[in-house]
Amino acid sequence: MAMYLLYESSSGYGLFEAHGLDEIGQNTEAVRSSVSDLSRFGRVVQLTAFHPFESALDALNQVNAVSEGVMTDELRSFLELNLPKVKEGKKPKFSLGTSEPKLGSHILEATKIPCQSNEFVLELLRGVRLHFDRFIKDLKPGDLEKSQLGLAHSYSRAKVKFNVNRVDNMVIQAIFLLDTLDKDINSFAMRVREWYSWHFPELVKIVNDNYLYARVSKMIDDKSKLTEDHIPMLTEVLGDEDKAKEVVEAGKASMGQDLSALDLINVQTFAQKVMDLADYRKKLYDSLVSKMSDIAPNLAALIGEMVAARLISHAGSINNLAKCPSSTLQILGAEKALFRALKTRGNTPKYGLIFHSSFIGRASAKNKGRIARYLANKCSIASRIDCFADGATTAFGEKLREQVEERLDFYDKGVAPRKNVDVMKEVIENLQNKDEEGKEAVEASGKKSKKKKAKGEEEEEAVESEKKKKRKMETEEENEKSEKKKKKKSKSAGGDEETDDGLTQSKKKSKKKKSKSEE
């Protein structure tokens, strides 16, 4: 049986025929020993056909298809053109060796060409790869290396491409930074409290919030300068006029010691740093919420942005979280308790990070494990939708949240919840209807724009016709005026001639009179 070899190079597809395999034997060791010797390998493997790629983009598309195990139309036409035709009802007398088993199975399904991919074929293809530039005569030295380098760069670049708005690494860093900021702000605020309490100890009992305490301490500065004029400012900060008055009264009767101006400046500076960190923490939280709406909108709609971000951070990425089964997701974050329970043969934990969602806290003690299992199931569905869906939407997450609410009602009141299949069908139908409405709206807006364009063109034509009419009228008026001027000029010229004639006649008469008088 004849054997053909399909080799996918960076410059094109190559089809080789391996004949006389008895010379090197049918085992891989014999092939390995003969591969390095071109004179011996060239007698066994010979080039049958070569199909170069049209461009770098075409090469990238073909290599992507080969890596995914898909036969392109170009490859199919190349094989059908150069391989012997397979007659229906008869076994083919040849086989095709490929390096990718998935590609071979696809070729077999589509063209009925028998394919094989084993160590023997791979060793033959290794020899083809080693001596490929010797088989193709038109290749110049260095062309193959350039094409390999360019295709490797473009292939790697295409694999690494990602959507900037869906980078879950930023969420992981943000949630770690939020945890660090919470610890630091808490410790720094306690230091401000201890420091300023030497000067104004009564303020600690009046203002409990750390951020407000830092703002009030910076505003008061020296307690001896507190007057009733500070009440409006303190009311604006604390939000309560009674508390502001209490602060002023406590400042007047405070038991704290006086601090030097330098110490007060240090306290104020440190309080400002705490306020800046708290403000930055708020901005970071807002950015995390907006980022989660792009990365995992359904998971965030189901259990909240913070819990969803912690799950993604603990799993490593949204992709890893989507691969986790619901049982793993349920105890994610409780690994120590799990292994301790396995070691001591005790009860395994019922929940991990998902305990921070509001659903488990609302469930009764006996139903906490059941609702945790159900919630983990829904979180697994939402994470897979977010990871593998093309468009970002919160429709699935909102419906999954409704299902968890129904499950809580079922545990408390016995109301039967809806089935997941029906809910998912409803969401898909709603999304399809929205897409159709959006298309209709786009088409209607296109028609309106066309009508507006048509109306605009008609108006422009009417304006141009009016302008042409005005120009004609103006030209006619100008012609009439010019004709009138010409007539006036002609009349004035005739009058001058008549006056000249009159003058000559009068002169002649005067001369005749003079002559008569002389006579």
Side-chain angles (χ1 to χ4, degrees):
M1 180 182 285
M3 177 182 285
Y4 290 88
L5 301 172
L6 176 64
Y7 175 63
E8 310 91 6
S9 71
S10 58
S11 55
Y13 290 118
L15 187 65
F16 295 84
E17 183 180 0
H19 52 81
L21 294 176
D22 297 333
E23 296 181 16
I24 59 172
Q26 288 288 342
N27 54 28
T28 56
E29 293 296 332
V31 174
R32 283 174 190 158
S33 61
S34 65
V35 159
S36 57
D37 188 5
L38 178 61
S39 60
R40 188 179 175 191
F41 187 77
R43 289 196 300 268
V44 177
V45 178
Q46 292 181 356
L47 179 66
T48 302
F50 178 70
H51 176 70
F53 296 135
E54 295 178 357
S55 61
L57 182 61
D58 183 33
L60 178 61
N61 294 332
Q62 296 294 330
V63 170
N64 282 329
V66 169
S67 64
E68 293 171 3
V70 178
M71 180 179 62
T72 59
D73 295 335
E74 290 84 353
L75 179 58
R76 179 169 184 167
S77 60
F78 172 68
L79 293 176
E80 290 178 349
L81 183 65
N82 295 289
L83 286 175
K85 293 182 179 180
V86 181
K87 295 181 180 179
E88 295 182 1
K90 291 186 177 180
K91 289 184 179 180
K93 297 180 179 180
F94 66 93
S95 63
L96 180 67
T98 60
S99 58
E100 294 289 337
K102 290 182 180 179
L103 180 63
S105 60
H106 191 204
I107 292 171
L108 178 62
E109 290 175 3
T111 61
K112 305 300 181 184
I113 295 172
C115 299
Q116 56 178 331
S117 179
N118 48 35
E119 290 186 6
F120 179 70
V121 171
L122 292 176
E123 288 297 327
L124 288 174
L125 288 173
R126 187 170 69 86
V128 170
R129 188 184 305 110
L130 183 63
H131 307 295
F132 184 70
D133 54 344
R134 307 286 182 88
F135 287 109
I136 309 298
K137 296 179 181 179
D138 295 334
L139 279 177
K140 296 179 182 178
D143 286 350
L144 188 62
E145 287 78 5
K146 289 178 182 178
S147 63
Q148 287 174 348
L149 184 64
L151 183 59
H153 278 285
S154 58
Y155 181 77
S156 303
R157 199 179 300 116
K159 287 292 181 185
V160 173
K161 271 186 181 178
F162 53 82
N163 186 357
V164 179
N165 295 322
R166 300 192 67 178
V167 183
D168 49 7
N169 186 34
M170 297 298 105
V171 169
I172 296 170
Q173 299 299 328
I175 198 68
F176 278 134
L177 184 56
L178 274 175
D179 293 339
T180 307
L181 282 174
D182 288 336
K183 293 177 183 177
D184 292 343
I185 290 170
N186 191 27
S187 60
F188 291 161
M190 292 303 295
R191 184 60 55 196
V192 171
R193 281 171 175 268
E194 289 179 9
W195 202 349
Y196 195 68
S197 292
W198 286 98
H199 180 63
F200 193 179
E202 294 81 6
L203 187 62
V204 176
K205 295 180 180 179
I206 301 171
V207 182
N208 297 320
D209 186 71
N210 291 333
Y211 181 71
L212 291 179
Y213 187 91
R215 288 188 65 184
V216 172
S217 63
K218 186 177 184 303
M219 183 181 294
I220 293 172
D221 193 11
D222 192 355
K223 66 178 181 179
S224 60
K225 298 178 182 178
L226 263 179
T227 59
E228 293 183 356
D229 296 336
H230 289 81
I231 291 176
M233 291 187 291
L234 290 170
T235 305
E236 186 179 353
V237 174
L238 296 173
D240 189 357
E241 189 176 356
D242 296 334
K243 274 191 177 182
K245 290 179 180 179
E246 190 178 352
V247 169
V248 174
E249 291 174 1
K252 291 178 181 178
S254 177
M255 297 292 291
Q257 66 180 13
D258 294 333
L259 295 178
S260 64
L262 183 60
D263 291 335
L264 286 173
I265 289 171
N266 288 331
V267 173
Q268 276 190 322
T269 306
F270 193 58
Q272 184 62 46
K273 295 292 184 184
V274 174
M275 290 162 56
D276 293 339
L277 280 175
D279 293 335
Y280 175 67
R281 198 258 180 208
K282 290 179 182 177
K283 291 179 182 178
L284 185 63
Y285 174 76
D286 293 337
S287 67
L288 177 63
V289 170
S290 62
K291 205 77 170 171
M292 285 300 297
S293 62
D294 294 329
I295 295 171
N298 294 294
L299 190 62
L302 176 59
I303 56 173
E305 289 83 3
M306 291 297 291
V307 182
R310 291 185 190 282
L311 285 173
I312 293 171
S313 174
H314 201 83
S317 67
I318 184 68
N319 196 7
N320 292 345
L321 185 65
K323 292 176 182 177
C324 288
S326 59
S327 57
T328 304
L329 197 147
Q330 181 182 350
I331 58 170
L332 208 62
E335 288 84 2
K336 287 184 180 179
L338 174 66
F339 291 118
R340 184 171 62 248
L342 293 174
K343 188 176 181 179
T344 59
R345 295 183 181 179
N347 293 328
T348 55
K350 297 177 182 178
Y351 30 70
L353 290 170
I354 60 171
F355 177 77
H356 298 289
S357 66
S358 60
F359 298 110
I360 297 175
R362 288 161 54 191
S364 58
K366 64 177 181 180
N367 292 325
K368 284 186 184 293
R370 299 169 71 186
I371 198 66
R373 186 167 59 251
Y374 189 79
L375 181 60
N377 182 14
K378 299 305 173 187
C379 287
S380 180
I381 294 171
S383 62
R384 288 167 188 176
I385 293 171
D386 290 330
C387 183
F388 301 111
D390 294 330
T393 176
T394 58
F396 291 98
E398 291 168 358
K399 291 294 182 182
L400 291 171
R401 188 180 182 87
E402 290 178 7
Q403 282 187 284
V404 180
E405 295 280 358
E406 291 174 1
R407 180 64 60 163
L408 280 172
D409 292 338
F410 172 69
Y411 291 149
D412 294 339
K413 303 173 185 177
V415 181
R418 293 175 293 173
K419 289 185 178 180
N420 188 53
V421 177
D422 299 334
V423 175
M424 292 296 107
K425 283 181 180 178
E426 182 183 349
V427 177
I428 293 169
E429 288 175 359
N430 292 335
L431 290 175
Q432 289 175 352
N433 293 332
K434 284 183 180 179
D435 291 339
E436 290 176 359
E437 289 175 0
K439 288 179 182 179
E440 289 176 358
V442 169
E443 290 175 358
S445 62
K447 289 179 181 179
K448 285 181 180 179
S449 61
K450 287 180 181 179
K451 287 181 180 178
K452 286 181 180 179
K453 286 181 181 179
K455 286 181 180 180
E457 290 174 357
E458 289 176 359
E459 289 176 357
E460 288 177 359
E461 289 177 358
V463 171
E464 288 178 358
S465 62
E466 288 179 359
K467 286 181 179 180
K468 287 179 181 179
K469 287 180 181 179
K470 285 182 180 179
R471 287 174 186 172
K472 284 182 180 179
M473 294 288 288
E474 289 175 357
T475 51
E476 289 177 357
E477 288 177 358
E478 288 177 358
N479 291 332
E480 288 177 358
K481 287 180 181 180
S482 61
E483 287 177 359
K484 286 179 181 180
K485 286 180 181 180
K486 286 179 182 179
K487 286 179 181 179
K488 284 181 181 180
K489 286 181 181 180
S490 61
K491 284 181 181 180
S492 63
D496 293 338
E497 289 175 357
E498 287 177 356
T499 53
D500 292 338
D501 292 339
L503 288 169
T504 52
Q505 287 177 1
S506 62
K507 285 180 180 179
K508 286 178 181 179
K509 285 180 181 181
S510 63
K511 285 181 180 179
K512 283 180 181 180
K513 285 180 181 180
K514 285 180 180 179
S515 62
K516 283 180 181 180
S517 62
E518 287 175 357
E519 287 176 356

